[in-house]
Amino acid sequence: MNSKALCGSLILLMLLTACVSSGPKTQYYTLYTQVQPETHTPLVGDKLSFGIGPIILPEYLDHPAVVSRTQTQQIRVSGTYAWGGNLKATVGRVLASNLSEYWQQDSVWAFPWDNRARPEYQIRIVFDDFAGVRGGTVSVNARWMLFEQGGKKEIAVGTIQLSGETTDESVEAYVKSLNSLLNAFSVELAKEVAEELSAFQ
């Protein structure tokens, strides 16, 4: 290769490297538990066990990117802002952790669990909404179903609807609002399920 060709190849390589490295880096987010001791709702019983899930989210949230809506109900997919894991699994993990703490029960597991040791009670949750507008209102609306006998017998159902406002249009504020609502949802779910169980005792 002559000097001119070599020089041209080096310049092309430098340009391609600049194009690749100049793009914005993906930022990853997750949801986490927020335990508040004053919200504890202890359950009576030493050998209670709960399975949380399956969790069902709206189909448009089945995406690795953080998804929100606009004021005109369009879907806004944030290409450079993504969840640090599967959103459905993360929601189940946060709910199981919160419920375990609120109920003061160790045997609360997120779906899937070992079929050889199925939990006594199972709570299936269908989220009709788990999103909102960045810089606007965020909503968490869900229906829950409580089963016993290893998930074979439905004994209670309920609906929880919560909403909140984001502090600004950033993805950080949007995720923080979703996280707060999910934890508030955990508190309401803990109370409602505890009330239903007390009726059977």
Side-chain angles (χ1 to χ4, degrees), residues 34-111:
Q34 293 176 324
V35 177
Q36 300 173 347
E38 66 273 13
T39 62
H40 285 169
T41 308
L43 294 180
V44 178
D46 298 327
K47 297 183 180 180
L48 297 177
S49 60
F50 295 85
I52 311 304
I55 303 293
I56 298 177
L57 294 174
E59 65 280 357
Y60 66 88
L61 295 178
D62 187 18
H63 198 287
V66 176
V67 178
S68 58
R69 294 192 297 267
T70 67
Q71 296 288 359
T72 57
Q73 294 300 304
Q74 291 181 324
I75 301 301
R76 185 178 183 181
V77 180
S78 305
T80 57
Y81 303 96
W83 295 109
N86 180 275
L87 180 59
K88 188 184 299 184
T90 301
V91 169
R93 171 183 56 78
V94 171
L95 287 174
S97 179
N98 278 340
L99 292 173
S100 176
E101 179 65 25
Y102 294 145
W103 287 334
Q104 299 290 280
Q105 293 285 335
D106 293 330
S107 297
V108 182
W109 309 309
F111 182 86

Side-chain angles (χ1 to χ4, degrees), residues 47-54 103 106-124 146-153:
K47 297 183 180 180
L48 297 177
S49 60
F50 295 85
I52 311 304
W103 287 334
D106 293 330
S107 297
V108 182
W109 309 309
F111 182 86
W113 46 80
D114 192 337
N115 284 329
R116 293 171 299 180
R118 291 187 63 87
E120 180 182 0
Y121 296 98
Q122 181 178 352
I123 304 174
R124 301 174 190 171
L146 176 64
F147 294 81
E148 65 174 355
Q149 298 177 6
K152 297 178 181 179
K153 180 181 178 182

Side-chain angles (χ1 to χ4, degrees), residues 121-138:
Y121 296 98
Q122 181 178 352
I123 304 174
R124 301 174 190 171
I125 305 172
V126 179
F127 284 89
D128 298 314
D129 199 7
F130 190 79
V133 178
R134 284 162 52 181
T137 302
V138 176

Side-chain angles (χ1 to χ4, degrees), residues 136-188:
T137 302
V138 176
S139 301
V140 172
N141 301 331
R143 292 166 287 151
W144 59 266
M145 293 144 280
L146 176 64
F147 294 81
E148 65 174 355
Q149 298 177 6
K152 297 178 181 179
K153 180 181 178 182
E154 181 182 292
I155 60 174
V157 296
T159 301
I160 299 174
Q161 299 181 341
L162 302 171
S163 63
E165 299 296 321
T166 53
T167 56
D168 55 58
E169 295 185 4
S170 68
V171 173
E172 288 82 359
Y174 177 68
V175 172
K176 183 177 181 180
S177 183
L178 276 177
N179 202 114
S180 295
L181 287 176
L182 181 59
N183 283 283
F185 175 87
S186 301
V187 176
E188 292 303 314

